[in-house]
Amino acid sequence: MIQIAPSMLSADFSNLREDIRTIEEGGADLLHIDVMDGHFVPNLTFGAPIVKALRPHTTLPFDVHLMVTNPADYVEEYAKIGVEYFTFHWEVVPHAHRLIQAIKSTGMKAGVSLNPSTPVSLLEDIASDLDLILIMSVNPGFGGQSFISNAVKKVQQARQLLDAVGNTTAVVEVDGGINLETAPLVRKAGATMLVAGSAVFGASDRADMIRQLRG
Ligand code: DX5
Ligand code: ZN
């Protein structure tokens, strides 16, 4: 079963409630929320207060992608809001195992995201602890960028790594440049959750786009 997580980054920031309603009615499985701090990535979006304000307005689970240098500082806050997946970047965390345990102890699911230049093999020793591996198929920071094709190989590697440790429940998610051309490639490689920002919010029929991305 493929899940589609539209990225709020491509929504109309002046009309988030309405845009979220259209994707919920259009059959989205989760809401992908890109939190950026202007340090880890060269862009700044929003933080926990906005995520909290949105929580009562949809029943979709929240898939929070933290592109910040200090994700550990926000675990409690996002847990209180009621977030499903708390995903941090491998590149900024020296004690990933500790952070994963901290996330899971709150009841949230723990995800690790890898930049295009970060190898999947680094996750070998935490593969059994993870609920989600997020393969970035663009350099994080902006919506609307082109898909970097080595992500296909990395999706396969992530799936193999999880299989090798018997972690059958963890999700392999792909984020960046997902559209009708690239979605089939990553689905075939073993991705089970696809993030799509510009493809969904830029579509004239969002429900149809979500259906087609799911395949
Ligand atoms: C980029 C974000 C993505 C972004 C994807 O840093 O993590 O979630 O919104 O946008 P598209 O689907 O337009 O590439
Ligand atoms: Zn994202």
Side-chain angles (χ1 to χ4, degrees):
M1 157 76 180
I2 304 290
Q3 294 190 298
I4 304 297
S7 167
M8 225 181 83
L9 190 59
S10 293
D12 177 355
F13 281 11
S14 70
N15 206 0
L16 290 173
R17 260 172 88 166
E18 176 58 17
D19 266 1
I20 291 170
R21 189 187 62 76
T22 65
I23 57 140
E24 185 164 15
E25 287 179 9
D29 298 289
L30 305 100
L31 183 62
H32 184 82
I33 301 178
D34 290 301
V35 174
M36 303 185 186
D37 65 355
H39 296 277
F40 176 60
V41 288
N43 192 10
L44 193 144
T45 52
F46 43 75
I50 303 276
V51 181
K52 185 178 179 187
L54 294 174
R55 188 54 290 182
H57 298 291
T58 171
T59 58
L60 290 178
F62 282 4
D63 173 35
V64 176
H65 176 194
L66 287 134
M67 286 160 276
V68 305
T69 54
N70 57 339
D73 294 348
Y74 298 105
V75 172
E76 291 303 325
E77 207 172 350
Y78 283 102
K80 273 197 209 118
I81 292 169
V83 158
E84 180 87 356
Y85 289 98
F86 182 103
T87 297
F88 64 89
H89 266 265
W90 171 268
E91 297 82 9
V92 294
V93 173
H95 302 290
H97 182 270
R98 179 185 292 158
L99 180 53
I100 290 162
Q101 306 313 318
I103 295 165
K104 288 166 86 167
S105 74
T106 68
M108 292 189 291
K109 292 178 180 154
V112 172
S113 181
L114 301 177
N115 279 339
S117 58
T118 306
V120 172
S121 57
L122 289 170
L123 302 182
E124 196 179 321
D125 289 303
I126 51 169
S128 54
D129 300 294
L130 288 171
D131 296 305
L132 179 146
I133 297 175
L134 174 52
I135 303 295
M136 290 306 300
S137 39
V138 297
N139 286 294
F142 304 94
Q145 303 181 79
S146 302
F147 184 81
I148 298 172
S149 57
N150 93 324
V152 175
K153 173 198 75 186
K154 291 176 74 177
V155 167
Q156 283 168 348
Q157 291 171 339
R159 182 56 66 200
Q160 281 161 8
L161 191 61
L162 293 168
D163 286 348
V165 297
N167 186 346
T168 53
T169 53
V171 167
V172 178
E173 180 178 32
V174 189
D175 184 6
I178 296 297
N179 54 35
L180 294 180
E181 254 172 61
T182 55
L185 307 177
V186 296
R187 288 197 311 258
K188 193 168 167 227
T192 50
M193 193 184 288
L194 310 189
V195 176
S198 43
V200 169
F201 286 102
S204 53
D205 184 341
R206 292 174 181 174
D208 185 54
M209 179 55 69
I210 289 168
R211 246 191 320 273
Q212 290 197 61
L213 290 171
R214 192 178 280 121

